[in-house]
Amino acid sequence: MTTSTVQKYLAPTRLEPALAALALPGGATVLAGGTDLAPQTEAGTRRYAAQLLNIRRVEGLAGIRDEGQAIRLGATTTVSEIRQSALLAQVAPALVQAAERFASEQIRNAATVGGNLCNASPASDLSPPLLVLDAEVELCSWRGNAQHTRRLPLAQFFLAPGRTLKEPDELLTAVVFARPGAGFVSRFRKAGPRPALEISTVSLALGARLQDGRLQQVRVALGSVAPTPLRARRAEAALEGRALDEAAIAAAVAAAAEDARPIDDVRASAWYRGHLVRVFMEEVLHDVAEN
Ligand SMILES: Cc1cc2nc3c(=O)[nH]c(=O)nc-3n(C[C@H](O)[C@H](O)[C@H](O)COP(=O)(O)OP(=O)(O)OC[C@H]3O[C@@H](n4cnc5c(N)ncnc54)[C@H](O)[C@@H]3O)c2cc1C
């Protein structure tokens, strides 16, 4: 075992002591559901800081809140809660579809949205549906005896596998997105090596407003085809303002394949990943056109 020893375990119920622990020299390792952290520390690919900070009891970090114009997912909202949310089924069906295809019931009950984003895996399943919602992450820190809060578009948050724009003293406290307006459609697709407990080989989400048969404010996002989850900007441009006919669908399929930057790895070849991007793009667009 190459993991370092945890010297202090903290499980505060208020945000301030949690942020204060992160602000100390040496900081703290944040523990939410532990479904990424535990395997990583056990495998020796990640070391604990001297302080382990369990954030699951911190008031105000849990749950899904309807704020009228915006929807707020607290950082410790679990994948199961997303899956069971009637509000999200109505306003963000692709996010619920991603939660449905996520791991197993046991993992879904522990895994949190904050952990999924902060782990910054290119295969993070909640990222593509949140990217097509133009979601923002809320980051809090304790600096100079005061709490600081900033928001960043999720599209800018990821830097590389395991790396984000979050500073070590910052806690991701929430993910927030504007309530989608009338006519919003969204879809999610994911492929993995087996039917259950699968890490995505490729995932794709689409979000757009469908008005008079044309797509507006089109967002397409891809997972597992680049070092980070990403917006497929060429595919979005190919669809913006277009009627969903065969020509537009073919243009979007070709553009999405150009947006993807897949690699060969143990789970799939780059060729197969590119193929899945084409298939999923075509599938979701036909699905929207026919329904
Ligand atoms: C068997 C198995 C199957 C899986 N299947 C899937 C799957 O289908 N799809 C998928 O996307 N993922 C999958 N995962 C990965 C994992 O379950 C998810 O990424 C999960 O959402 C991580 O959340 P967590 O709360 O468990 O994070 P943790 O493991 O607690 O934390 C993950 C990382 O984020 C940091 N962190 C957590 N919360 C915060 C916060 N609020 N602020 C700052 N830093 C924070 C931690 O310090 C750690 O570095 C699977 C994992 C396992 C073991």
Side-chain angles (χ1 to χ4, degrees):
M1 289 263 282
T2 58
T3 54
S4 52
T5 315
V6 173
Q7 288 164 18
K8 201 168 175 189
Y9 173 76
L10 305 164
T13 54
R14 288 182 310 112
L15 184 58
E16 190 187 311
L19 298 179
L22 287 171
L24 288 174
T29 300
V30 175
L31 169 73
T35 62
D36 279 318
L37 188 63
Q40 289 165 3
T41 49
E42 270 161 40
T45 55
R46 170 91 193 262
R47 292 171 71 84
Y48 286 118
Q51 298 194 95
L52 182 61
L53 174 64
N54 183 341
I55 58 166
R56 291 297 288 271
R57 293 192 205 155
V58 177
E59 283 162 19
L61 293 191
I64 301 161
R65 206 160 74 208
D66 185 345
E67 298 185 330
Q69 292 306 306
I71 311 295
R72 181 184 176 88
L73 310 182
T76 59
T77 303
T78 64
V79 176
S80 290
E81 288 167 332
I82 292 173
R83 186 177 182 228
Q84 289 153 10
S85 165
L87 170 68
L88 294 180
Q90 192 197 342
V91 300
L95 187 58
V96 176
Q97 287 163 16
E100 273 163 6
R101 293 292 312 276
F102 199 107
S104 63
E105 193 169 0
Q106 200 181 11
I107 299 282
R108 288 193 293 266
N109 287 341
T112 65
V113 62
N116 195 248
L117 301 181
C118 291
N119 189 56
S121 163
S124 139
D125 278 339
L126 302 185
S127 296
L130 286 169
L131 282 168
V132 302
L133 288 162
D134 280 335
E136 293 187 334
V137 291
E138 184 184 89
L139 301 169
C140 284
S141 59
W142 190 260
R143 293 175 189 168
N145 264 338
Q147 183 178 321
H148 291 259
T149 304
R150 65 176 177 138
R151 278 201 189 172
L152 278 180
L154 182 61
Q156 293 171 16
F157 184 60
F158 302 113
L159 295 176
R163 283 188 52 222
T164 68
L165 280 175
K166 185 184 75 57
E167 298 291 344
D169 67 340
E170 287 181 314
L171 191 68
L172 189 152
T173 45
V175 187
V176 185
F177 56 88
R179 177 187 286 273
F184 181 74
V185 290
S186 76
R187 297 287 189 278
F188 176 78
R189 290 288 188 282
K190 160 178 173 174
R194 51 181 188 236
L197 272 175
E198 56 183 6
I199 303 292
S200 299
T201 304
V202 166
S203 62
L204 179 147
L206 166 78
R209 196 158 63 90
L210 187 61
Q211 196 176 29
D212 304 327
R214 289 179 190 275
L215 291 181
Q216 320 271 359
Q217 296 159 22
V218 184
R219 304 283 182 268
V220 179
L222 302 170
S224 297
V225 295
T228 66
L230 84 166
R231 286 266 300 274
R233 310 266 179 187
R234 292 181 183 87
E236 293 174 0
L239 290 166
E240 189 63 43
R242 300 269 304 263
L244 262 186
D245 53 22
E246 287 305 320
I249 293 175
V253 167
E258 275 185 49
D259 285 314
R261 288 177 280 132
I263 55 163
D264 294 317
D265 70 11
V266 285
R267 283 184 289 123
S269 67
W271 176 86
Y272 183 57
R273 287 193 156 102
H275 172 71
L276 285 176
V277 167
R278 287 189 188 83
V279 170
F280 286 166
M281 189 79 258
E282 189 171 353
E283 254 183 43
V284 295
L285 292 172
H286 275 130
D287 194 18
V288 169
E290 287 155 22
N291 295 291

